[in-house]
Amino acid sequence: MTPEILTPHADRTPEELEAAYPARDLPAGAAVTRFGPSPTGFVHIGGLYTALISRRLARQTGGVFFLRIEDTDKKREVAGAEDLIISSLHDWGLEADEGNFAHGEVRGSHGPYRQSERKAIYQSVVRRLLEQGHAYPCFASAEELQALREQQQALKIPPGYYGKWAIWRDKDPAEAEAALAAGKPFVIRLRSPASGPDKVTLPDVVRGDLVLDTNRQDAVLLKADGMPTYHLAHVVDDHLMRTTHVIRGHEWLSSYPLHAQIFDLLGWERPHFAHISPIEKMDGSSRRKLSKRKDPEASVEYYLEQGYPRDAVIEYLINLADGRFEDWRKENPAADALTYPLELDRMNRSGALFDGDKLDSISRELIGSMDDAAVYAAVSDWAHRHDPAFALLLDAEPAYSTAILGIERHGERVRKDIAHWAQVPADISCFFDPAYGVLEPQARELLASLEPAPPAALLAEIAAGYDPALSRDEWLEWLRAIGERHGYAQSMKIYKADKEAWRGHFGDMAAALRIVLTARRNTPDLCEIMQVMGADRVRSRIEAAAGWL
Ligand code: GLU
């Protein structure tokens, strides 16, 4: 049987391919890395993590980072998934140098970058493997393969298509001709060069030398539809695209020996491999991989919906990859996390443990360091995408919104309680009159439950006299004096000395004011809140509340 019939799409020799995709003209030591997601409609945080590491390596060595869409499995493909991948990389600041971009743009000299467009390339390479006897067609049906598996199970031997179980491996070519003539579907398999169980030592940049089981399986290279399996596509693409470092999830570790065999049979130099530990989480007392099905935080969409600032997530992921990042951060407090010099051989070898609290604390610090205008821009951007009703409130009063977001963000004590923007609507909606209107019953209820209840005359006096121009000290003095006239001791100490003599203490009065102004018991600094709300708003809210009593 001629290899031509089995690889009808082949259009070049491997030598012509070599010439068409020459070694890249890059300085010594420059790394060429890639991100190879499958368009399944879901960008896993682990994918972003791998992309981040790959891009970082390319960037810091003056190399190239490219995006390759691994779409050979049409059954798993989801419409719009490629756009989602492209926009995710963009949104996270991890845009590729080469590959497919928005609006159908393609950049780079080593494409096409979509595997579905590389059929002729794969078949050209497989044709050579067939010619050299390193591959062969296999016409085994699903039933026959199932029967093999059952026999192997009964004999308690390793399952698979290998050695004498590889029924088409050494068949008379005439039988293959007959099967082909009968129109039977076929796949092309590798003729594994391993004759028996053995070990092979393969290098890994993160993990050092690995001793792994040699591959004995006659793995499928081309599927019945003429498209490659991951194994073949990975080898062909990473060779012809001149990848120097294959950085991928550690789930590919077990097929690394197979990939090494294919590289070797083709006479191609193997790239460096770095198998990255998956991101895991604690589930009770055991660790498990973040699951697409069970964990919302497995999807990068989650972080966008929750409104984590991009830089916080990126910083968190770098932190996860490399424990030494924290020391670097201390020495370079203002530097962009994406300039951190990552070293693959010093990365965490064991699984990276996802820690939401750590992410929150990184994010709180970052948000605490942003200026008011940046916070407003980020909150507004988030709200427009994820909370349109809240966006309307912001849009109606941008200056007021910015001032609200600036509360307790200046001076010595900067608030660090916001970890992501989805927290903000609940935190500040009360400042806006339309939202306060909705919250008013809650304010009434809280006020009614206060013990001691504030006298209406106290509220009236505050409403009448409030002046936002008062400094904090003047404001305190003013408010304390009013309180004292209505039975609130100026301090806890005074109150405790003679509880019977007082209605309550300053804190009780402040609690009432908080409720009246914000419909909440706990708020940031009351003096600042009143200043930001302004005299009119403060007056009208307090006057209204005086009427409830
Ligand atoms: N498409 C593969 C995946 O999503 C890519 C693995 C690799 O980077 O080689 O797992």
Side-chain angles (χ1 to χ4, degrees), residues 241-255:
M241 294 175 167
R242 307 292 170 178
T243 304
T244 63
H245 291 72
V246 172
I247 301 171
R248 61 182 178 183
H250 93 319
E251 65 273 21
W252 297 110
L253 211 52
S254 59
S255 39

Side-chain angles (χ1 to χ4, degrees), residues 23-39:
R24 292 163 183 274
D25 186 16
L26 291 169
V32 179
T33 62
R34 82 294 193 277
F35 179 42
S38 297

Side-chain angles (χ1 to χ4, degrees), residues 34-38 50 68-70 76 115 230 234 238 246-249 251-252:
R34 82 294 193 277
F35 179 42
S38 297
T50 315
R68 182 169 68 221
I69 302 292
E70 307 216 329
R76 288 176 64 216
Q115 288 184 331
Y230 168 77
H234 145 56
D238 283 321
V246 172
I247 301 171
R248 61 182 178 183
E251 65 273 21
W252 297 110

